[in-house]
Amino acid sequence: MITSKIIANGILRAIGVLTLIGVFLYFIYQIQTVLVYLIASIILCLIANPIVEFLKRKLKFSNTLAVITTLIFFFFTIIGIVLLFVPLVIAQGNNLSLLNTDLIQNKFIEIYNQFTIYLNEHHLPISKTFNTTDITSKFDFKILTNFFSSIIGLVSSIGITIGSMFFISFFLLKDKIKFVLLLKHIIPDNNESKILNSIYKTKELLSRYFTGLLIQMILVCLLYLIVLLVFGVQNAFVIAFLCALLNIIPYVGAFIGMILVSVLTLLSNINSDFQSVTLPTTIYVLIGFFIVHLIDSNVSQPIIFSRSVKSHPLEIFLIIVISGILFGITGMIVAVPFYTIVKVVAKEFLPENKIIKVLTKNI
């Protein structure tokens, strides 16, 4: 028989559990910066681990020397990119007056007026449908300045992030065997093999995934750079790098990059003749970027998303779309790694489930 004492105890337990959950979530919120460093370090370790193993196996490096050599290589690679990237971002901001909202608005109006004249000459009177004042009043030009200011702010704090990330990565790579042994003492004996198998398989799949993603970003950046250099766009490297970085966002990142490059190309050619230089250059650059997107989506992405994590392209597409609807851009970026972890764990703990068998048959 349910008594008032039992109900009261149940309520108290529920309140206690909710309080503990709240305290845990608050704690996670307070240390979110550390968690970001830890996640970034784990990703770096997954990318660096194949190189470390190669140095140990082929060149007979000791574990510590292999880790130090690999991290030094990545450190100078990142520093080299930053040293190239920072001056170019500053130059882009100064040359295009991206930190002056009023000047941006005036340039936009000038581009719009030139575009209107061009369409009117070709018997497409867009001015009857749209009004310059209406458009400029509805568009917040501070979005552009805030965007580039946030990039500069991000670059200014990148030193601390790199230092913390490499410090953590060094010990994760150097003492990974010790961490595995420690984990064996912590996890329950009856699930030890399943958990360790899940960790090993996840590490293998995600290592290939992030390595492939890095290679994809480099290739896309080079292709974007070639397109921009061919058509003489100013500050080609910074634009190519930004667009390649945006390309990490599955499916929509490339189109965001195309919008960004079209705006920057228009602004950088504002002093040129609109009909003979500005408009054709922008169109050619967009066509070039679209061709790069086709190459990437039909060659690079299927190899990385399908082969590296052993999932069907349609399966990956649905997971990314659902994650995007539920959690936005962040969800789209982490969808594939998180889904891979879930699949590996599910196969270890629910191997006889029919759905799990179908989804994990290639793992």
Side-chain angles (χ1 to χ4, degrees), residues 192 194 218 220-221 361:
E192 179 180 320
K194 293 180 180 179
I218 293 172
V220 169
C221 182
K361 62 181 180 179

Side-chain angles (χ1 to χ4, degrees), residues 99-144:
L99 301 180
N100 188 328
T101 307
D102 294 333
L103 192 53
I104 294 175
Q105 185 166 344
N106 293 333
K107 285 188 174 184
F108 178 83
I109 294 172
E110 185 177 347
I111 290 175
Y112 175 83
N113 290 334
Q114 292 180 0
F115 188 61
T116 303
I117 294 172
Y118 175 79
L119 292 178
N120 285 335
E121 289 179 353
H122 291 78
H123 308 291
L124 295 171
I126 193 174
S127 57
K128 295 181 180 179
T129 306
F130 301 102
N131 185 274
T132 308
T133 306
D134 293 337
I135 294 176
T136 55
S137 64
K138 293 178 181 178
F139 184 80
D140 185 7
F141 289 90
K142 291 183 179 180
I143 293 175
L144 295 175

Side-chain angles (χ1 to χ4, degrees), residues 272-291:
S272 303
D273 182 72
F274 183 78
Q275 294 189 31
S276 62
V277 179
T278 305
L279 183 60
T281 301
T282 304
I283 293 174
Y284 294 149
V285 168
L286 285 176
I287 292 173
F289 269 52
F290 184 71
I291 293 173

Side-chain angles (χ1 to χ4, degrees), residues 188-206:
D189 293 336
N190 56 333
N191 290 322
E192 179 180 320
S193 61
K194 293 180 180 179
I195 294 175
L196 292 178
N197 287 337
S198 298
I199 293 173
Y200 174 77
K201 193 65 180 179
T202 300
K203 185 188 75 170
E204 179 187 354
L205 292 175
L206 292 185

Side-chain angles (χ1 to χ4, degrees), residues 7-71:
I7 295 175
N9 288 335
I11 292 174
L12 290 174
R13 281 196 299 269
I15 293 174
V17 171
L18 291 176
T19 302
L20 288 174
I21 293 174
V23 171
F24 175 74
L25 293 176
Y26 179 76
F27 176 73
I28 294 297
Y29 175 76
Q30 291 296 319
I31 65 167
Q32 57 181 314
T33 303
V34 178
L35 292 178
V36 170
Y37 291 160
L38 184 59
I39 292 171
S41 301
I42 292 173
I43 292 174
L44 178 60
C45 289
L46 291 171
I47 298 172
N49 190 65
I51 301 176
V52 173
E53 294 300 323
F54 173 81
L55 293 176
K56 289 165 58 179
R57 187 175 62 254
K58 298 293 185 181
L59 302 181
K60 306 302 179 182
F61 280 25
S62 65
N63 183 61
T64 303
L65 181 59
V67 171
I68 293 174
T69 304
T70 303
L71 291 182

Side-chain angles (χ1 to χ4, degrees), residues 130-173:
F130 301 102
N131 185 274
T132 308
T133 306
D134 293 337
I135 294 176
T136 55
S137 64
K138 293 178 181 178
F139 184 80
D140 185 7
F141 289 90
K142 291 183 179 180
I143 293 175
L144 295 175
T145 59
N146 291 338
F147 174 74
F148 280 91
S149 296
S150 64
I151 291 177
I152 294 173
L154 178 64
V155 171
S156 66
S157 63
I158 201 169
I160 298 175
T161 304
I162 291 176
S164 302
M165 184 175 66
F166 276 86
F167 181 80
I168 297 172
S169 298
F170 172 75
F171 290 103
L172 288 178
L173 288 168

